[in-house]
Amino acid sequence: MYYEFHTKPYKHQIRTLKIALKKGNLGVLADPGCGKTKIAIDYIGCRYLRDGHKRILVLAPKSVLGVWEEEIETHLPPSIPRAVIRLEGTNRERLIKNHMNPDKLTIFLISYDSAWRSKGSLIKWKPQGVIADESHYIAGATSKRSRGARAIREHADWALILTGTFLPNWPLNAYAQLNFLNPKIFPYSWTKFKNRYAVWVMAKGGYWRLKRYKRLHELKEIIRKYSVVIKKDKVLDLPKRQDIVVPIDMDPKTRKIYDQIKKEKLVEFKQGKATAEIILTELLRFQQLTSGFLSVETGRYDHRDRPIREEVKIHEAKIKAALEIIDIHRAHGEKVVVFTRFRWELDQIATALRKRKISCAVIDGRVNVKERDEIRRDFQKGKYDVAVVNMATGGVGINLTAANVAIFFSLSFKYDHYQQAKDRIHRPGQNKPVIYYHLIMRKSIDEKIMAALREKKSLADKLTEQKPEELV
């Protein structure tokens, strides 16, 4: 088989492609920016030419389906006739039915949540290859998206998994992803897998709690056998990065509110009844306050008898700090990305920028996927000076290298989310030194989150090391 690359590959991409063609199934565990999508696209092309595989299914987060369309157009040799089809909305079933017997390479792009809903039709389509992009989205072994993806894969000849965060929460995240890659790797149930690699004890609340891991060396060897690990700092020559903490003082009014909430929550935490999940949810309230607002009940209820809440502005300290940083870098012709966690932050920043006649792109879950793709392309082309991005929506799988400055208005509790967001601007295509600003309110939860992230840990990890009251 002769395969002519349409775009020049890096050495690590050629090496990984050869391994994939030899093994058939492969986990590509690559840092963001290492070109794992190109590897997968060239693999699709090779399998089409070598084996005649025409039916390919790509599972991915909804926000990156547009990126796949662009990448296929960029990297797949034009000599290969193809149809690239996004399966979205109510047309999914009709589109699948209309392409049951394709006469050319047909690549379906579908989100994980849509895939499990169309599981039956996709199985009937009989994909010859299935790719799970950002496969950590199916790391939860019992979730519907994970079970649906694995059921579809069982009917395909081969599979690839692509991710930069293979173990987002714990080592046991390996099960569902490797089970998708090749069901024969772990020929037993999720329950047996859990018991093989972890020790569990019954907690006071009547649920099983993890005590410790075991046989991790064995698990690491299995992961190594079925995957290729690609580290950005070893295969790419990228500009330097600089992290800057911008300390912000809390005004007396905000400090009084913060301390009052802290007093109330400490009583609850010390009672010892709250689970780690509940504690993390409660900690969000402190983070909202450091960002400048509180979500409060209005006394009104919706049609489902749920309390209606509204956001009340408490201060503008972080907004002022962000605007000052933006002004400094705009004066030097540099573009800026502002990462936010909460919708209120995003709206407030966008409003402030527009009042100052600063062009800004807004990327969050309220913007449909096709519009998001267009906004992202326009930002890359230079139409906007600033991109205000919700980390949950725009922190994965997209390219924002038009900017070399990022401001973390607030921080994710999860290290992998934080690192993924950073990699949006530090990746191939970036030719300027990159600066990350972190807006950190003094003597608050912000400092605790930042400390955990510096240790490459999530805040949940800190809950196993410290008491909840020590995190606020």
Coordinates of all heavy atoms in Angstrom, one line a residue, residues 336-373:
V336 N -6.3 38.1 23.5 CA -6.4 37.5 24.8 C -7.6 36.5 24.8 O -8.7 36.8 24.3 CB -6.6 38.6 25.9 CG1 -6.8 38.0 27.3 CG2 -5.5 39.6 25.8
V337 N -7.5 35.4 25.5 CA -8.6 34.5 25.9 C -8.9 34.6 27.4 O -7.9 34.5 28.2 CB -8.3 33.0 25.5 CG1 -9.4 32.1 25.9 CG2 -8.0 32.9 24.0
V338 N -10.1 34.8 27.7 CA -10.5 34.8 29.1 C -11.3 33.5 29.4 O -12.4 33.3 28.8 CB -11.4 36.0 29.5 CG1 -11.7 36.0 31.0 CG2 -10.6 37.3 29.1
F339 N -10.8 32.7 30.3 CA -11.5 31.4 30.6 C -12.3 31.7 31.9 O -11.8 32.2 32.9 CB -10.5 30.3 30.9 CG -9.8 29.8 29.7 CD1 -8.5 30.0 29.4 CD2 -10.6 29.1 28.7 CE1 -7.9 29.5 28.3 CE2 -10.0 28.6 27.6 CZ -8.6 28.8 27.4
T340 N -13.6 31.3 31.8 CA -14.5 31.4 33.0 C -15.1 30.1 33.3 O -15.2 29.2 32.5 CB -15.6 32.4 32.6 OG1 -16.5 31.9 31.6 CG2 -15.1 33.7 32.2
R341 N -15.6 30.0 34.5 CA -16.3 28.8 34.9 C -17.8 29.0 35.0 O -18.6 28.1 34.7 CB -15.8 28.3 36.3 CG -16.4 27.0 36.8 CD -15.8 26.4 38.0 NE -16.3 25.1 38.2 CZ -15.9 24.4 39.2 NH1 -15.0 24.8 40.1 NH2 -16.4 23.2 39.4
F342 N -18.2 30.2 35.4 CA -19.7 30.5 35.6 C -20.2 31.4 34.5 O -19.5 32.2 34.0 CB -19.9 31.1 36.9 CG -19.4 30.3 38.1 CD1 -18.2 30.7 38.8 CD2 -20.0 29.2 38.5 CE1 -17.7 30.0 39.8 CE2 -19.5 28.4 39.6 CZ -18.4 28.8 40.3
R343 N -21.5 31.2 34.1 CA -22.1 31.9 33.1 C -22.2 33.4 33.5 O -22.0 34.3 32.6 CB -23.5 31.4 32.9 CG -24.3 32.1 31.8 CD -25.7 31.5 31.6 NE -25.6 30.1 31.1 CZ -26.6 29.4 30.8 NH1 -27.9 29.8 31.1 NH2 -26.5 28.2 30.3
W344 N -22.4 33.7 34.8 CA -22.4 35.1 35.2 C -21.1 35.8 34.9 O -21.1 37.0 34.4 CB -22.7 35.2 36.7 CG -22.8 36.6 37.3 CD1 -24.0 37.3 37.4 CD2 -21.7 37.4 37.8 NE1 -23.7 38.5 37.9 CE2 -22.3 38.6 38.2 CE3 -20.4 37.2 37.9 CZ2 -21.6 39.7 38.7 CZ3 -19.6 38.3 38.4 CH2 -20.2 39.5 38.8
E345 N -20.0 35.2 35.1 CA -18.7 35.8 34.9 C -18.6 36.1 33.4 O -18.2 37.2 33.0 CB -17.6 34.8 35.2 CG -17.5 34.4 36.6 CD -16.6 33.2 36.8 OE1 -16.4 32.4 35.9 OE2 -16.0 33.1 37.9
L346 N -18.9 35.2 32.5 CA -18.8 35.3 31.1 C -19.6 36.5 30.6 O -19.2 37.4 29.9 CB -19.2 34.0 30.4 CG -19.1 34.0 28.9 CD1 -18.7 32.5 28.5 CD2 -20.4 34.3 28.2
D347 N -20.9 36.6 31.1 CA -21.8 37.7 30.7 C -21.3 39.0 31.1 O -21.3 40.0 30.4 CB -23.2 37.4 31.2 CG -23.9 36.3 30.5 OD1 -23.5 35.9 29.4 OD2 -24.9 35.7 31.1
Q348 N -20.8 39.1 32.4 CA -20.3 40.4 32.9 C -19.0 40.9 32.1 O -18.9 42.0 31.8 CB -19.9 40.2 34.4 CG -21.1 40.0 35.3 CD -22.0 41.2 35.4 OE1 -21.6 42.3 35.5 NE2 -23.3 41.0 35.3
I349 N -18.1 39.9 31.8 CA -16.9 40.3 31.1 C -17.3 40.8 29.7 O -16.8 41.8 29.2 CB -15.9 39.1 31.0 CG1 -15.5 38.8 32.5 CG2 -14.7 39.5 30.2 CD1 -14.8 37.4 32.6
A350 N -18.1 40.0 29.0 CA -18.5 40.4 27.6 C -19.2 41.7 27.6 O -18.9 42.5 26.7 CB -19.4 39.3 27.1
T351 N -20.1 42.0 28.6 CA -20.8 43.3 28.6 C -19.8 44.4 28.8 O -19.8 45.5 28.2 CB -21.8 43.3 29.8 OG1 -22.8 42.3 29.5 CG2 -22.5 44.6 29.9
A352 N -18.8 44.2 29.8 CA -17.8 45.2 30.0 C -16.9 45.5 28.8 O -16.6 46.7 28.5 CB -16.9 44.8 31.2
L353 N -16.6 44.5 28.1 CA -15.8 44.7 26.9 C -16.5 45.4 25.8 O -16.0 46.3 25.2 CB -15.3 43.3 26.3 CG -14.3 42.5 27.2 CD1 -14.1 41.1 26.7 CD2 -12.9 43.3 27.1
R354 N -17.8 45.1 25.6 CA -18.6 45.8 24.6 C -18.8 47.2 24.9 O -18.8 48.1 24.0 CB -19.9 45.0 24.4 CG -19.7 43.7 23.7 CD -20.9 42.8 23.8 NE -20.7 41.5 23.2 CZ -21.3 40.4 23.5 NH1 -22.2 40.4 24.5 NH2 -21.0 39.3 22.9
K355 N -18.9 47.5 26.2 CA -19.1 48.9 26.6 C -17.8 49.7 26.3 O -17.9 50.9 26.0 CB -19.4 49.0 28.1 CG -20.8 48.7 28.5 CD -21.0 48.8 30.0 CE -22.4 48.5 30.5 NZ -22.6 48.6 31.9
R356 N -16.7 49.1 26.3 CA -15.4 49.7 26.0 C -15.1 49.6 24.5 O -14.0 50.0 24.1 CB -14.3 49.1 26.8 CG -14.5 49.3 28.3 CD -13.7 48.4 29.1 NE -12.2 48.7 29.1 CZ -11.6 49.3 30.0 NH1 -12.2 49.7 31.1 NH2 -10.3 49.5 29.9
K357 N -16.1 49.2 23.7 CA -15.9 49.0 22.2 C -14.7 48.1 21.9 O -14.0 48.3 20.9 CB -15.6 50.4 21.6 CG -16.7 51.4 21.9 CD -18.0 51.1 21.1 CE -19.0 52.2 21.2 NZ -20.0 52.1 22.2
I358 N -14.6 47.0 22.7 CA -13.6 46.0 22.4 C -14.3 44.8 21.8 O -15.2 44.2 22.5 CB -12.8 45.6 23.7 CG1 -12.1 46.8 24.3 CG2 -11.9 44.4 23.5 CD1 -11.4 46.5 25.7
S359 N -13.9 44.4 20.7 CA -14.6 43.3 20.0 C -14.3 42.0 20.7 O -13.1 41.7 21.0 CB -14.1 43.2 18.5 OG -12.7 43.0 18.5
C360 N -15.3 41.2 21.0 CA -15.1 40.0 21.8 C -15.9 38.8 21.2 O -17.1 39.0 20.8 CB -15.4 40.1 23.2 SG -17.1 40.4 23.7
A361 N -15.4 37.7 21.2 CA -16.1 36.4 20.8 C -16.5 35.7 22.1 O -15.7 35.7 23.1 CB -15.1 35.5 20.0
V362 N -17.7 35.2 22.1 CA -18.2 34.5 23.3 C -18.5 33.0 22.9 O -19.2 32.8 21.9 CB -19.5 35.2 23.8 CG1 -20.1 34.3 24.9 CG2 -19.2 36.6 24.2
I363 N -17.9 32.1 23.6 CA -18.0 30.7 23.4 C -18.5 30.0 24.6 O -17.8 29.9 25.6 CB -16.7 30.1 22.9 CG1 -16.2 30.7 21.6 CG2 -16.9 28.6 22.7 CD1 -14.8 30.2 21.2
D364 N -19.8 29.6 24.6 CA -20.3 28.9 25.8 C -21.5 28.0 25.3 O -21.8 28.0 24.1 CB -20.8 29.8 26.9 CG -22.1 30.5 26.7 OD1 -22.5 30.6 25.5 OD2 -22.7 30.9 27.7
G365 N -22.1 27.3 26.2 CA -23.1 26.3 25.8 C -24.4 26.8 25.2 O -25.2 26.1 24.6
R366 N -24.6 28.2 25.4 CA -25.9 28.7 24.8 C -25.7 29.0 23.4 O -26.7 29.3 22.7 CB -26.2 30.0 25.6 CG -26.6 29.8 27.0 CD -26.6 31.1 27.8 NE -25.3 31.7 28.0 CZ -25.0 32.8 28.6 NH1 -26.0 33.5 29.2 NH2 -23.8 33.3 28.7
V367 N -24.5 28.9 22.8 CA -24.3 29.2 21.4 C -24.3 27.8 20.7 O -23.6 26.9 21.2 CB -23.0 29.9 21.1 CG1 -22.8 30.1 19.7 CG2 -22.9 31.2 21.9
N368 N -25.1 27.6 19.7 CA -25.1 26.3 19.0 C -23.8 26.0 18.4 O -23.0 26.8 18.1 CB -26.3 26.2 18.0 CG -26.1 27.0 16.8 OD1 -25.1 26.9 16.1 ND2 -27.1 27.8 16.4
V369 N -23.6 24.7 18.1 CA -22.3 24.2 17.8 C -21.8 24.8 16.5 O -20.6 25.2 16.3 CB -22.3 22.7 17.6 CG1 -20.9 22.2 17.1 CG2 -22.6 22.0 18.9
K370 N -22.6 25.0 15.5 CA -22.2 25.5 14.2 C -21.8 27.0 14.3 O -20.8 27.5 13.7 CB -23.3 25.4 13.2 CG -23.5 23.9 12.7 CD -24.5 23.8 11.6 CE -24.6 22.4 11.1 NZ -25.6 22.2 10.0
E371 N -22.5 27.8 15.2 CA -22.2 29.1 15.4 C -20.8 29.2 16.2 O -20.0 30.1 15.9 CB -23.3 29.8 16.2 CG -24.5 30.2 15.5 CD -25.5 31.0 16.3 OE1 -25.1 32.1 16.8 OE2 -26.6 30.5 16.6
R372 N -20.7 28.3 17.1 CA -19.4 28.3 17.9 C -18.2 28.1 16.9 O -17.2 28.7 17.0 CB -19.4 27.1 18.9 CG -19.7 27.5 20.3 CD -19.7 26.4 21.2 NE -21.0 25.9 21.5 CZ -21.3 24.6 21.9 NH1 -20.3 23.8 22.1 NH2 -22.5 24.3 22.2
D373 N -18.4 27.1 16.0 CA -17.3 26.9 15.0 C -17.0 28.1 14.2 O -15.8 28.4 14.0 CB -17.7 25.7 14.0 CG -17.8 24.4 14.7 OD1 -17.2 24.2 15.8 OD2 -18.5 23.5 14.2

